[in-house]
């Protein structure tokens, strides 16, 4: 196993530190990775203006984790290295562990206002869940179970940031993934004693250019159970700087003036990329599923889904609280506490409190997982996944109603400091605060509800955990409470029919 080389050797409690700080994270991205955007290859994502704001936001999270005052909240002791490692890697043994893990994740999510979906805790939680269920991987051969377990320990003890890609691009939706034209879907192209070679595309990898490694897993839920698909039945992880891997990014969000003008676009663009593999080499020890449909079907049973939803539910709560905070501030700066405005705020309150309750129920009602772990109760988290896109869209609409013309005329810092500044400061002043302060809030409200950043957030909430219609179909098909509810209805009919017979003789 590679050694952690972080510069923070001890923590307050005197235990060796195994977590990275922000500077170490930033340095880890300066590895010659092949990142493409706007038709050009980027030399260094940590300095390029289209990426560096988000890099700094993730670096800040690592610094929060390293702060000695946060030691107990953000870390736990690695059972293998004996060092303090990130708490999102913890394998929860009871409901209280889930609470502790959520409090750690909430700390990170509050720092970014819930505006980044793929902060490293997301995949830390998912890979930990896979490792807890390593035997499911062993269906394809014992070594694959060992590989996922070793990989989990490796990323935990080296505090790496991961992205993942679970879907392939498709050209013709009438055809299954393995028959898509153009040989462009990622697949295994050959193997050697040392490892495998893969070629083709995977999408979408959010955070790709800002992560250390990528986890590739088959799109299990709709994976066709046919032999022809075996080249596509592959799961592995690799660093993002390996030869033969390039990341092709969407355009970044337009921001000329940095944080003051575009507080979210400039700092929270976690970026989405397509991964293009060209004969990329993956050593055997990083392969978790290999040309094996049965293994794919086995790994579907891993509890990574509910654990991942525990993280994304926590993020949803942090984000809704952040949006609620903006909304109340918009009302306060204008003194617009009118009844219709309060009704809209009460909708946001209902969203926040519903999310909080659902997350808590998932922890308190956790179920037994693999080994001696627990898994959050999935149903309340499924409700978040189902309902959050609509809650989020409505929250943005409420911000638009509250912000109205104010957000659209909110000037830039350059305007405020220009020769028109005196006039602007007069007509943009808040009821109790100067124009400069009010403008900060209005620019934030604009970026959260109206900008292209906000549009992408809305899209993300709809699709980040897969096709919402297929997910809803599965939730309907598999709801475990259905049988009991149905039987109760039959019992009600039978009981009252008996009574009817006794009283009325029919
Ligand atoms: C902003 C963003 C970030 C993302 N980040 C990640 C990430 O980090 N990692 C990752 O793995 N994935 C990520 N995703 C991808 C996500 O998993 C997919 O978007 C999702 O699974 C849907 O697949 P698709 O985009 O190919 O949509 P499509 O499959 O093209 O679906 C488009 C529409 O067509 C409908 N449709 C498609 N096929 C059928 C069919 N056979 N029958 C009926 N209706 C159909 C769908 O319901 C949907 O409405 C991200 C997506 C977005 C938008």
């Amino acid at each position: 196993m590679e050694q952690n080389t972080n510069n923070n050797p001890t923590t307050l409690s005197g235990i060796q530190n195994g977590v990275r700080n922000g500077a170490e994270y930033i340095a880890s991205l300066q590895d010659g990775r092949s990142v493409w955007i706007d038709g050009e290859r980027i030399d260094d994502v940590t300095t390029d203006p289209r990426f560096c704001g988000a890099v700094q936001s993730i670096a800040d999270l690592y610094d929060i984790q390293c702060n000695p005052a946060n030691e107990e909240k953000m870390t736990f002791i690695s059972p293998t290295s004996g060092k303090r490692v990130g708490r999102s890697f913890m394998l929860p043994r009871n409901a209280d562990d889930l609470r502790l893990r959520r409090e750690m994740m909430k700390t990170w999510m509050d720092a970014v206002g819930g505006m980044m979906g793929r902060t490293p805790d997301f995949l830390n939680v998912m890979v930990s869940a896979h490792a807890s269920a390593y035997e499911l991987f062993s269906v394809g051969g014992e070594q694959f179970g060992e590989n996922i377990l070793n990989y989990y320990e490796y990323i935990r003890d080296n505090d790496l940031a991961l992205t993942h890609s679970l879907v392939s691009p498709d050209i013709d939706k009438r055809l299954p993934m393995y028959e898509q034209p153009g040989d462009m879907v990622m697949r295994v192209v050959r193997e050697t004693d040392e490892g495998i070679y893969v070629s083709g595309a995977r999408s979408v990898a959010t955070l790709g250019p800002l992560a250390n490694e990528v986890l590739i897993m088959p799109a299990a839920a709709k994976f066709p159970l046919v032999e022809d698909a075996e080249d596509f039945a592959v799961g592995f992880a690799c660093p993002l700087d390996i030869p033969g891997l390039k990341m092709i990014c969407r355009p970044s969000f337009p921001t000329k003036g940095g944080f003051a003008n575009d507080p979210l676009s400039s700092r929270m663009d976690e970026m989405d990329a397509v991964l293009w593999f060209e004969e990329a080499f993956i050593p055997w020890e990083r392969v978790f599923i290999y040309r094996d449909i049965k293994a794919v079907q086995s790994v579907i049973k891993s509890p990574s889904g509910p654990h991942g939803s525990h993280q994304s539910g926590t993020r949803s709560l942090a984000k809704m609280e952040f949006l609620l905070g903006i909304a109340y501030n918009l009302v306060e700066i204008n003194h617009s506490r009118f009844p219709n405005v309060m009704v809209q705020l009460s909708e946001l309150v209902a969203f926040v409190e519903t999310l909080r309750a659902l997350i808590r129920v998932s922890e308190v009602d956790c179920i037994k997982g693999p080994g001696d772990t627990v898994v959050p109760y999935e149903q309340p988290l499924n409700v978040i996944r189902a309902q959050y896109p609509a809650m989020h869209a409505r929250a943005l609409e409420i911000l638009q109603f509250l912000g109205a013309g104010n957000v659209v005329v909110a000037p830039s810092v350059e305007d405020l400091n220009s020769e028109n500044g005196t006039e602007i400061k007069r007509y943009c002043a808040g009821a109790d605060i100067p124009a400069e302060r009010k403008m900060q809030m209005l620019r934030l409200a604009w970026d959260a509800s109206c900008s292209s950043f906000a549009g992408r957030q809305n899209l993300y909430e709809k699709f980040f955990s897969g096709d919402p219609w297929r997910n809803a179909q599965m939730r309907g098909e598999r709801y475990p409470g259905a049988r009991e509810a149905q039987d109760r209805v039959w019992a009600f009919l039978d009981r009252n029919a008996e009574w009817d017979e006794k009283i009325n003789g029919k």
Side-chain angles (χ1 to χ4, degrees):
M1 182 165 296
E2 290 171 34
Q3 290 305 304
N4 188 329
T5 53
N6 81 67
N7 298 320
N8 311 286
T10 56
T11 60
L12 271 189
S13 60
I15 296 168
Q16 262 203 308
N17 200 354
V19 291
R20 292 192 294 180
N21 62 27
E24 289 161 336
Y25 160 70
I26 291 175
S28 75
L29 302 180
Q30 293 164 327
D31 55 7
R33 57 191 48 212
S34 180
V35 176
W36 293 76
I37 187 168
D38 302 329
E40 57 171 314
R41 183 172 173 173
I42 300 304
D43 285 337
D44 182 351
V45 289
T46 71
T47 54
D48 186 279
R50 290 160 289 194
F51 298 89
C52 66
V55 169
Q56 188 55 52
S57 293
I58 302 279
D60 291 348
L61 301 185
Y62 281 109
D63 281 339
I64 291 172
Q65 186 182 242
C66 264
N67 182 340
N70 295 332
E71 173 184 346
E72 200 49 49
K73 187 192 236 184
M74 304 303 288
T75 65
F76 75 113
I77 298 171
S78 160
T80 50
S81 71
K83 295 180 185 176
R84 286 221 159 252
V85 293
R87 197 176 272 290
S88 51
F89 287 109
M90 179 176 66
L91 299 181
R93 314 283 180 201
N94 51 48
D96 207 45
D97 280 354
L98 288 172
R99 176 187 63 79
L100 289 170
R101 184 176 75 177
R102 187 238 310 150
E103 285 172 1
M104 176 266 143
M105 298 188 300
K106 183 75 170 22
T107 304
W108 269 8
M109 288 303 100
D110 285 343
V112 293
M115 296 287 169
M116 292 181 122
R118 298 292 200 238
T119 48
D121 49 330
F122 180 73
L123 269 145
N124 294 353
V125 164
M126 301 267 282
V127 174
S128 306
H130 280 323
S132 75
Y134 68 94
E135 282 161 338
L136 298 172
F137 290 79
S138 301
V139 164
E142 216 160 281
Q143 72 276 24
F144 297 116
E146 283 165 20
N147 288 353
I148 191 73
L149 209 45
N150 290 339
Y151 185 65
Y152 156 66
E153 291 177 0
Y154 168 70
I155 61 168
R156 179 193 65 196
D157 292 349
N158 289 278
D159 204 12
L160 298 182
L162 266 65
T163 178
H164 77 335
S165 174
L166 304 182
V167 290
S168 306
D170 48 18
I171 291 172
D172 184 339
K173 287 193 189 298
R174 293 169 304 179
L175 301 173
M177 176 252 286
Y178 60 94
E179 281 179 6
Q180 288 295 318
D183 277 348
M184 57 83 199
V185 175
M186 194 216 76
R187 67 209 172 280
V188 178
V189 289
R190 65 192 169 95
E191 68 170 83
T192 65
D193 288 346
E194 283 73 41
I196 64 172
Y197 289 79
V198 293
S199 288
R202 270 302 184 118
S203 67
V204 181
T206 299
L207 200 80
L210 315 187
N212 299 114
E213 302 236 336
V214 59
L215 174 72
I216 299 283
M217 296 293 272
K222 55 179 179 182
F223 203 85
L225 281 165
V226 295
E227 273 182 22
D228 296 8
E230 278 179 344
D231 288 345
F232 303 85
V234 62
F236 62 86
C238 64
L240 285 155
D241 64 341
I242 60 169
L245 170 55
K246 60 180 163 189
M247 291 177 261
I248 302 170
C249 304
R250 63 160 163 78
S252 66
F253 300 120
T255 150
K256 277 195 296 198
F259 181 76
N261 290 337
D262 308 299
L264 300 176
S265 305
S266 65
R267 287 298 301 272
M268 302 296 157
D269 185 2
E270 58 190 342
M271 190 47 79
D272 309 289
V274 169
L275 304 177
W276 183 261
F277 295 89
E278 194 75 58
E279 290 257 334
F281 171 69
I282 315 294
W284 280 117
E285 61 270 24
R286 289 286 181 263
V287 178
F288 312 128
I289 297 174
Y290 185 61
R291 304 187 83 252
D292 191 333
I293 306 288
K294 279 205 189 74
V296 173
Q297 294 304 316
S298 167
V299 169
I300 295 175
K301 297 178 204 122
S302 153
S304 66
H307 280 293
S309 299
H310 189 232
Q311 191 278 350
S312 60
T314 304
R315 180 185 60 78
S316 303
L317 172 61
K319 190 174 188 180
M320 194 52 75
E321 286 177 347
F322 193 73
L323 296 172
L324 174 141
I326 297 174
Y328 268 91
N329 280 331
L330 287 177
V331 172
E332 194 171 73
I333 57 180
N334 286 338
H335 284 237
S336 56
R337 296 176 77 87
F338 307 112
N340 60 312
V341 169
M342 288 301 123
V343 168
Q344 292 178 67
L345 293 183
S346 81
E347 276 189 66
L348 299 178
V349 171
F351 294 161
V352 162
E353 294 306 324
T354 303
L355 293 166
R356 195 194 316 284
L358 289 167
I359 294 165
R360 195 71 194 112
V361 173
S362 80
E363 295 164 1
V364 173
D365 288 353
C366 59
I367 60 167
K368 191 184 157 357
D372 57 355
T373 65
V374 294
V375 177
Y377 179 45
E378 192 175 16
Q379 293 305 323
L381 299 174
N382 284 347
V383 173
I384 298 182
R385 282 172 63 181
Q387 303 294 323
Y388 193 75
M391 288 184 191
H392 181 261
R394 175 66 183 143
L396 300 201
E397 188 182 37
I398 289 173
L399 287 189
Q400 290 167 1
F401 279 131
L402 300 180
N406 294 304
V407 291
V408 93
V409 296
S412 64
V413 170
E414 291 75 16
D415 279 330
L416 275 173
N417 296 331
S418 74
E419 62 181 76
N420 299 319
T422 317
E423 292 91 324
I424 292 173
K425 283 174 195 164
R426 284 173 66 194
Y427 71 73
C428 281
D432 301 318
I433 52 173
E436 290 86 345
R437 195 88 178 112
K438 179 174 164 184
M439 285 313 108
Q440 280 183 301
M441 194 52 60
L442 292 183
R443 293 304 311 171
L444 179 60
W446 167 268
D447 223 2
S449 63
C450 300
S451 67
S452 44
F453 177 90
R456 186 266 176 194
Q457 291 282 314
N458 240 345
L459 184 68
Y460 182 86
E461 297 302 352
K462 287 181 176 66
F463 281 102
F464 81 89
S465 67
D467 179 346
W469 286 275
R470 196 165 41 79
N471 289 343
Q473 177 198 343
M474 283 193 293
R475 283 194 297 273
E477 271 171 9
R478 297 178 191 172
Y479 181 57
R483 186 69 267 158
E484 196 188 323
Q486 285 173 265
D487 291 348
R488 201 176 302 144
V489 174
W490 283 120
F492 166 83
L493 290 175
D494 293 345
R495 214 172 42 246
N496 287 288
E498 278 170 27
W499 177 84
D500 206 22
E501 213 167 293
K502 224 186 288 169
I503 299 295
N504 298 321
K506 35 179 156 146

